[in-house]
Amino acid sequence: MKKQKQRQKKSLYQFQREALEKIKNFDNAALFWQMGAGKTVSSIELTECEEWNTPILVCLVLKSTVNQWLEELYNQTERTVFNGYKKTKSDGIESFIACSDRKCIVIGYDAYKAKCGTRLRTYINQHAEDVTIICDESSLIGHMESERTKAVMKTKAKHKLLLSGTPATGGRLEAMIPTMNMLGWETTKRDFLDQFCYVYEWRDPTRPWMTIPIIQGYKNIDELRAGLKEHGGSFITMEEAGVQLPETTEQRVTITTPPEYKKFMRTGIVEIDGQEIIGENNLTKMLYARQICSVYNQAKAAALEELLEQAGDEPVIVFYNWTSELKILQSICERLKRPVSVVNGQRKDLQAYEQDKPGTVILAQYQAASMGLNLQKSRICIFFSPVCSYSDYEQAKARIHRIGQKRNCIFYNLICEDSIEEHIMQTLAERRDYTEQLFTEQYGPKAEVAA
């Protein structure tokens, strides 16, 4: 339970108040607002209005943003706030269940869907008429067969509020089917394909009685958007809101590709610094091709070091993919004597950043830090290696380019020339995810591995 201290409630912008006014009479709603438009505070404000106010509020969020949500809920409401990851006499799931006050609990999707969340899910379903649920980053509920989606879909509540700046993950509109159903727009995958997709029915020659629908494009997008609005969807861009964010500059820093890269792509096997790297299939070959460009590339580490030196005392965010990259980044910061904050799946330490230590470098893993964090005290963001997910890339940029940012932002992409990294960036520019299928199309149907 949140420690008692003075609450510091934030006021909403006019565009936020007007948007909430339009959806407050819906039982379920969704804020499809551009990243940085203030979905968190606005969603809490909606759940406190007369039409949505229930004794029990449940917030399903990313684990990395739990503390941020706890802070916002404490400041914006008069509820007793519980952390779903704690197990003490005054906090945690059991304490939340036992509490008779107006209350809320914050818990990550991972814990909610797991066995440890069974008690909480049962309690919520038993008191459904008294429950409002907020699903942050609802694009994560995009696959009907995933355990995460099933756990949320089976949960009963009087109100459900979905938040997402990128509702169609990686440009895949079919990922919105769970969202549509939770808003009360009941549809099946087959109905969605017929109404909004151009589909090619592929027939397996070995099993001619079976066909597999392959989506080749989308149609009736305006109709989809209008239908979502009719079911409680709210769409806001910064331009529509009248919010003028500072300008952004994206710079591509071209890096020399390691000489071993071409050999690896040709043969599927190479030795670097005494370590043998083998791409046994297309998936591992794609992974190692990316790592050769970053983990095994001294030129990229040198380029990052130069950029950090140019930044002087300004705080800089560096996004990375793998733990092996983190070790390199930490070594560079140690050599430059820079304070370090780290956000990844195992650790969230923003102490140096929050204390405004000069020259702080925030080392942020895409999957853990690209959503939900407010890092607008920095205006410089470096992408050490590109991420394959378009939504993760856009979310990462929105950590600094959001409401509250007063300075122009600079994004540096460190990209190896004539490599898979260039293909990834080209795909992201098309607002698509880079996938194993694209890798196969570009580099051949089969990863050739030396005997």
Side-chain angles (χ1 to χ4, degrees):
M1 188 169 60
K2 196 74 180 175
K3 293 182 179 179
Q4 296 299 309
K5 64 177 183 179
Q6 186 175 358
R7 298 177 190 262
Q8 299 177 337
K9 187 171 183 177
K10 299 176 182 177
S11 298
L12 296 186
Y13 290 89
Q14 181 65 25
F15 79 88
Q16 293 169 332
R17 291 195 296 270
E18 291 176 355
L20 297 185
E21 186 68 25
K22 294 178 181 178
I23 62 174
K24 69 179 184 180
N25 291 317
F26 286 91
D27 288 335
N28 305 299
L31 304 186
F32 300 127
W33 294 5
Q34 186 176 349
M35 290 169 286
K39 292 186 292 293
T40 301
V41 173
S42 299
S43 65
I44 295 172
E45 194 69 17
L46 179 62
T47 62
E48 292 296 294
C49 75
E50 181 180 353
E51 292 80 1
W52 276 65
N53 199 333
T54 57
I56 303 171
L57 176 61
V58 179
C59 299
L60 304 181
V61 306
L62 296 173
K63 186 176 181 180
S64 61
T65 64
V66 167
N67 287 334
Q68 177 190 340
W69 272 91
L70 291 170
E71 192 73 25
E72 297 286 11
L73 285 162
Y74 179 79
N75 287 326
Q76 297 297 126
T77 75
E78 297 294 328
R79 297 177 185 269
T80 304
V81 185
F82 294 87
N83 184 339
Y85 286 96
K86 299 292 185 180
K87 294 182 180 179
T88 66
K89 292 182 178 180
S90 61
D91 209 348
I93 292 175
E94 292 301 326
S95 298
F96 168 77
I97 291 174
C99 178
S100 58
D101 301 337
R102 287 181 70 253
K103 57 190 178 181
C104 59
I105 187 169
V106 182
I107 189 169
Y109 288 105
D110 58 335
Y112 185 73
K113 71 178 177 62
K115 186 176 181 180
C116 61
T118 303
R119 178 115 162 89
L120 177 60
R121 296 197 303 271
T122 301
Y123 174 79
I124 293 170
N125 285 332
Q126 290 174 342
H127 298 80
E129 283 302 306
D130 293 327
V131 175
T132 295
I133 291 181
I134 295 177
C135 296
D136 190 24
E137 302 300 348
S138 61
S139 59
L140 296 172
I141 315 169
H143 197 295
M144 293 295 287
E145 298 304 316
S146 76
E147 293 302 317
R148 178 195 299 134
T149 301
K150 288 178 181 178
V152 177
M153 296 285 285
K154 290 178 181 178
T155 301
K156 300 175 184 178
K158 185 174 183 179
H159 302 294
K160 287 184 180 179
L161 179 58
L162 312 177
L163 316 180
S164 181
T166 53
T169 304
R172 295 171 53 253
L173 294 185
E174 63 273 20
M176 296 194 65
I177 296 174
T179 294
M180 295 165 67
N181 286 330
M182 282 188 281
L183 289 177
W185 186 357
E186 296 184 4
T187 186
T188 64
K189 183 175 181 179
R190 184 71 264 177
D191 290 340
F192 185 90
L193 295 179
D194 291 342
Q195 191 171 2
F196 300 111
C197 304
Y198 294 108
V199 178
Y200 167 68
E201 299 286 351
W202 180 75
R203 190 178 299 275
D204 187 344
T206 63
R207 292 177 292 179
W209 61 89
M210 291 185 62
T211 58
I212 298 176
I214 298 176
I215 298 174
Q216 297 184 309
Y218 301 99
K219 60 185 179 181
N220 303 327
I221 305 303
D222 290 341
E223 183 181 330
L224 175 60
R225 183 184 176 99
L228 289 168
K229 283 186 174 181
E230 289 175 5
H231 289 83
S234 171
F235 293 83
I236 287 182
T237 64
M238 292 302 189
E239 184 178 357
E240 292 170 341
V243 177
Q244 189 67 39
L245 289 177
E247 294 183 359
T248 63
T249 301
E250 294 197 35
Q251 295 190 16
R252 178 175 295 193
V253 181
T254 302
I255 309 295
T256 302
T257 305
E260 296 89 352
Y261 178 83
K262 288 185 178 180
K263 180 181 178 181
F264 176 76
M265 297 306 291
R266 185 177 68 255
T267 67
I269 185 169
V270 74
E271 184 174 317
I272 303 178
D273 297 332
Q275 180 176 346
E276 191 174 57
I277 300 173
I278 302 176
E280 296 177 333
N281 52 54
N282 276 347
L283 190 59
T284 56
K285 190 175 182 182
M286 182 172 75
L287 170 66
Y288 287 131
R290 296 171 64 198
Q291 292 189 346
I292 289 172
C293 291
S294 61
V295 177
Y296 301 99
N297 191 350
Q298 294 181 359
K300 182 169 282 195
L304 174 68
E305 191 166 335
E306 288 182 3
L307 289 174
L308 292 179
E309 288 178 333
Q310 291 175 18
D313 289 340
E314 287 202 56
V316 177
I317 305 169
V318 180
F319 277 96
Y320 70 94
N321 282 285
W322 306 285
T323 302
S324 50
E325 289 181 323
L326 175 61
K327 294 177 181 179
I328 295 171
L329 302 177
Q330 288 175 319
S331 176
I332 292 172
C333 292
E334 184 178 349
R335 187 162 58 252
L336 296 178
K337 297 182 179 179
R338 295 296 181 93
V340 172
S341 286
V342 177
V343 181
N344 55 36
Q346 291 73 44
R347 179 182 173 193
K348 183 182 178 183
D349 175 16
L350 289 172
Q351 185 174 351
Y353 171 77
E354 291 171 347
Q355 292 178 352
D356 295 323
K357 292 184 178 180
T360 293
V361 179
I362 304 98
L363 304 179
Q365 190 176 38
Y366 284 104
Q367 289 75 12
S370 63
M371 298 181 182
L373 290 179
N374 298 319
L375 302 173
Q376 61 265 43
K377 286 192 292 185
S378 173
R379 68 179 187 92
I380 302 174
C381 187
I382 302 173
F383 301 103
F384 187 69
S385 59
V387 66
C388 291
S389 165
Y390 169 73
S391 61
D392 282 351
Y393 180 56
E394 290 299 306
Q395 291 270 12
K397 290 193 289 186
R399 296 314 99 209
I400 64 174
H401 195 236
R402 58 195 301 113
I403 291 178
Q405 179 60 265
K406 304 298 182 184
R407 301 176 295 168
N408 293 347
C409 298
I410 304 176
F411 301 105
Y412 294 99
N413 286 285
L414 308 189
I415 304 299
C416 286
E417 58 183 346
D418 299 323
S419 75
I420 185 176
E421 292 190 334
E422 287 193 338
H423 294 146
I424 292 173
M425 291 305 299
Q426 181 181 350
T427 305
L428 295 180
E430 297 169 356
R431 300 188 176 188
R432 295 189 297 150
D433 293 346
Y434 188 85
T435 63
E436 184 183 356
Q437 180 181 350
L438 287 175
F439 179 83
T440 302
E441 292 172 359
Q442 290 162 345
Y443 298 103
K446 181 179 179 181
E448 298 294 338
V449 182

